[in-house]
Amino acid sequence: MILNLSLLAQLGLENIVNNQKQLNSSLSKLSSGLKITSASDDASGLAIADNLRTQASGVSQAISNTNSAIAFAQIGDKAMSEQSVILDFVKSKLIQSATDTTSDDGRQTILNDIKKALTQYDSIASSTNYNGVTILQKDSNDQGESPIHTFQVGDSPEDI
């Protein structure tokens, strides 16, 4: 009888341990919201799930990079739009000064207005940046090409 009680106690302990393992596994799945939380659940399923999680993370970062690239382009576009307004103003002033009805003093005033406008034009070019990266040329004396900017918008580095 002592043997039987010992055997029953051992079987009961094994059942308790197994139940505890199953409970821990179930709680882990519930808390993570995932059906597969370890390789023992489904090894190939876990590998597929990890691969999908990695892809989703890459796509999420690609979307973020794309949004940053769009913001970069929009900032440059708005700055160039303002510069275009300034160039229209300068053209208008040059046409105004070309007429014989404008006096020499008037032409000098127009020239001063044009100089101020071109200073604003240069200021827009030199101050337009995105996270410290200059988008336009530095000023009107900058004859170099603007640098080429690369944006990673795919979900893997090979997509550059």
Side-chain angles (χ1 to χ4, degrees):
M1 192 110 160
I2 294 176
L3 245 107
N4 289 339
L5 287 176
S6 174
L7 184 59
L8 286 174
Q10 186 177 1
L11 288 174
L13 184 59
E14 286 177 16
N15 284 337
I16 290 172
V17 169
N18 286 337
N19 286 339
Q20 186 63 39
K21 285 181 184 178
Q22 289 175 355
L23 178 64
N24 287 341
S25 176
S26 294
L27 288 175
S28 174
K29 288 177 186 178
L30 281 172
S31 66
S32 70
L34 303 173
K35 181 179 177 185
I36 303 168
T37 57
S38 68
S40 65
D41 295 333
D42 180 2
S44 63
L46 181 63
I48 292 169
D50 284 343
N51 187 24
L52 290 173
R53 264 193 298 278
T54 301
Q55 285 179 349
S57 175
V59 169
S60 177
Q61 185 59 54
I63 290 169
S64 178
N65 290 355
T66 302
N67 288 334
S68 293
I70 289 169
F72 182 93
Q74 287 175 334
I75 290 169
D77 180 57
K78 295 296 181 187
M80 290 189 310
S81 177
E82 287 299 315
Q83 287 180 319
S84 181
V85 169
I86 291 170
L87 292 176
D88 288 343
F89 171 79
V90 169
K91 179 182 177 183
S92 172
K93 288 296 184 178
L94 289 173
I95 292 170
Q96 180 184 359
S97 72
T99 185
D100 285 340
T101 58
T102 303
S103 67
D104 288 339
D105 287 341
R107 284 188 179 91
Q108 187 59 48
T109 302
I110 290 171
L111 179 62
N112 291 340
D113 289 345
I114 289 173
K115 286 180 180 180
K116 286 179 189 175
L118 292 177
T119 299
Q120 288 176 332
Y121 183 92
D122 283 346
S123 176
I124 290 170
S126 64
S127 65
T128 302
N129 71 74
Y130 183 82
N131 286 338
V133 176
T134 301
I135 297 175
L136 305 175
Q137 291 176 318
K138 296 174 188 162
D139 58 38
S140 59
N141 296 323
D142 183 5
Q143 298 299 313
E145 291 183 17
S146 294
I148 295 173
H149 300 285
T150 304
F151 304 99
Q152 174 65 37
V153 296
D155 63 349
S156 66
E158 296 83 33
D159 292 338
I160 293 179

